[in-house]
Amino acid sequence: MADKTVAVLGATGVVGTQMIQCLEERGFPVGRLVPLASARSVGKTVFFHGQDVPVVEATPDAFEGVDIVLGAAGDATAKELLPEAARRGAVCVDNSHAFRLEADVPLVIPEINAADIANHPRNIIANPNCATIIGLVPTWPLHRLAGLRRLIVSTYQAASGAGMPGLTELEREMGVIAGGGEMGDTSPFAYQLAANLIPQIGSFRDEGYTSEEWKMQNEGRKIMHLPEVRVSCTCVRVPVMRSHSESITAEFDRPISPDEAREALAAAPGVKVVDDPANLRYPMPLETSDQDLIYVGRIRRDLSAPDGVSSLTFWCCGDQIRKGAATNAVQIAEHLL
């Protein structure tokens, strides 16, 4: 297998840094790493394979000779630069929202629709939203068992989902509370997050749902090739450093018991069942951070389902920086080798 020249766009951010770490951990055949960032990051280095690699300014010419680009920048930067990289022959795996719903760009969770990776006419493959990945990895094996009809999802998303500014702001706020100081400006959050919950992530859109909430419906339909599946989602920012949690109620075409669900999930790639209420064992952010599996527990029958309707409720938790962003992108790249 020939080594690849791999560029990471947004290499100095939270996700970009994690992408570089995942490349090394997973033994991806990188012959040359090109860490790309804005001009203000030039002069910095990233650590890879025991060496400090200088950061390069992200310009179209920086993609010359690059085989694979892992995108960890925002929508505007992705729209500007990734088509330039693609025109120069690189295949781009992009973590932004810029291309996810475009018809000629595959949107991929490898545990679900890896076959879609082969058809990338624009040389761009989109990485889904982190909450979408965390929710769908355990939902997919249940769909294959019983046929998914409907999802009702509440997400409890960590501060680091807002990037490094979110993480540092929560740390600051906790320090202010501990010290009894004045809270002051809480950007990037609309309100104080420490000792609080904020039931809004993204801007409000149609029907009173936020942009983050629409992603679960629109992206899930595309990834699973289930255009008729119905989804209602509420996204909440919680004062947790890392790892998103989700409460999911799933309705199916055919009967499925909690025991059947546990068996299917235990055999599913990317999933770990932690479901032992008698011993107080269930997924939590502290246990799921800094690793790539989606933990699933609290699997139980949906008591609100009408007679004759098969519906289950479960809880899942996963690291949104790793599996929810960086590792998923590197897994996609592995299919390009």
Side-chain angles (χ1 to χ4, degrees):
M1 184 186 300
D3 287 349
K4 302 294 182 181
T5 297
V6 179
V8 177
L9 178 62
T12 58
V14 172
V15 174
T17 300
Q18 189 71 74
M19 285 176 170
I20 293 169
Q21 181 179 332
C22 287
L23 287 168
E24 185 155 11
E25 287 180 0
R26 296 177 67 89
F28 195 91
V30 180
R32 181 170 69 100
L33 180 72
V34 185
L36 300 174
S38 64
R40 65 178 178 272
S41 291
V42 174
K44 296 180 179 179
T45 61
V46 300
F47 192 71
F48 184 69
H49 282 338
Q51 299 181 10
D52 290 319
V53 183
V55 172
V56 176
E57 183 178 357
T59 65
D61 289 343
F63 297 105
E64 291 291 344
V66 170
D67 300 304
I68 296 172
V69 178
L70 300 180
D75 288 4
T77 300
K79 288 179 180 178
E80 176 189 358
L81 290 178
L82 292 187
E84 294 292 335
R87 277 193 283 273
R88 288 164 169 79
V91 180
C92 307
V93 183
D94 179 38
N95 193 59
S96 82
H97 185 258
F99 306 100
R100 287 177 184 162
L101 299 181
E102 298 194 9
D104 54 357
V105 174
L107 180 65
V108 176
I109 301 173
E111 290 88 348
I112 298 175
N113 63 327
D116 291 352
I117 296 171
N119 183 23
H120 51 272
R122 292 172 59 183
N123 270 1
I124 297 173
I125 302 165
N127 208 44
N129 173 258
C130 52
T132 301
I133 293 171
I134 291 167
L136 292 192
V137 167
T139 297
W140 178 250
L142 303 181
H143 161 69
R144 297 187 68 187
L145 184 64
L148 181 66
R149 297 181 61 185
R150 181 182 181 216
L151 289 172
I152 300 173
V153 183
S154 294
T155 73
Y156 305 85
Q157 299 183 215
S160 52
M164 186 59 73
L167 186 62
T168 55
E169 173 58 19
L170 178 57
E171 291 175 333
R172 184 195 72 84
E173 290 178 10
M174 291 191 298
V176 169
I177 290 174
E182 293 291 328
M183 186 57 63
D185 179 61
T186 61
S187 299
F189 306 118
Y191 298 94
Q192 173 187 322
L193 182 60
N196 193 25
L197 302 175
I198 303 175
Q200 177 197 355
I201 301 176
S203 58
F204 283 99
R205 302 288 177 86
D206 296 343
E207 302 288 348
Y209 287 82
T210 67
S211 55
E212 186 81 359
E213 292 159 355
W214 275 110
K215 290 173 186 176
M216 180 71 76
Q217 175 150 215
N218 295 331
E219 295 181 17
R221 288 174 167 176
K222 181 175 180 179
I223 294 162
M224 296 188 292
H225 300 284
L226 295 175
E228 302 303 321
V229 74
R230 294 171 292 164
V231 181
S232 179
C233 186
T234 300
C235 293
V236 183
R237 187 71 74 192
V238 298
V240 169
M241 290 296 185
R242 186 161 174 163
S243 278
H244 292 350
S245 301
E246 303 186 19
S247 174
I248 299 178
T249 295
E251 182 181 311
F252 301 98
D253 292 329
R254 298 179 294 281
I256 178 174
S257 70
D259 284 342
E260 289 173 318
R262 290 185 192 97
E263 184 178 356
L265 289 165
V271 175
K272 179 177 180 178
V273 176
V274 180
D275 192 19
D276 185 7
N279 291 300
L280 306 186
R281 294 291 294 130
Y282 30 69
M284 295 183 294
L286 282 176
E287 292 188 333
T288 56
S289 294
D290 201 28
Q291 56 82 56
D292 294 323
L293 296 175
I294 309 302
Y295 286 29
V296 185
R298 300 294 318 280
I299 302 165
R300 60 204 188 274
R301 187 168 61 89
D302 172 18
L303 299 180
S304 73
D307 292 343
V309 173
S310 179
S311 183
L312 293 177
T313 296
F314 60 91
W315 174 263
C316 61
C317 190
D319 189 325
Q320 87 285 356
I321 301 173
R322 286 192 62 112
K323 178 54 185 169
T327 302
N328 198 78
V330 174
Q331 287 178 292
I332 292 171
E334 288 170 348
H335 284 268
L336 298 170
L337 297 176

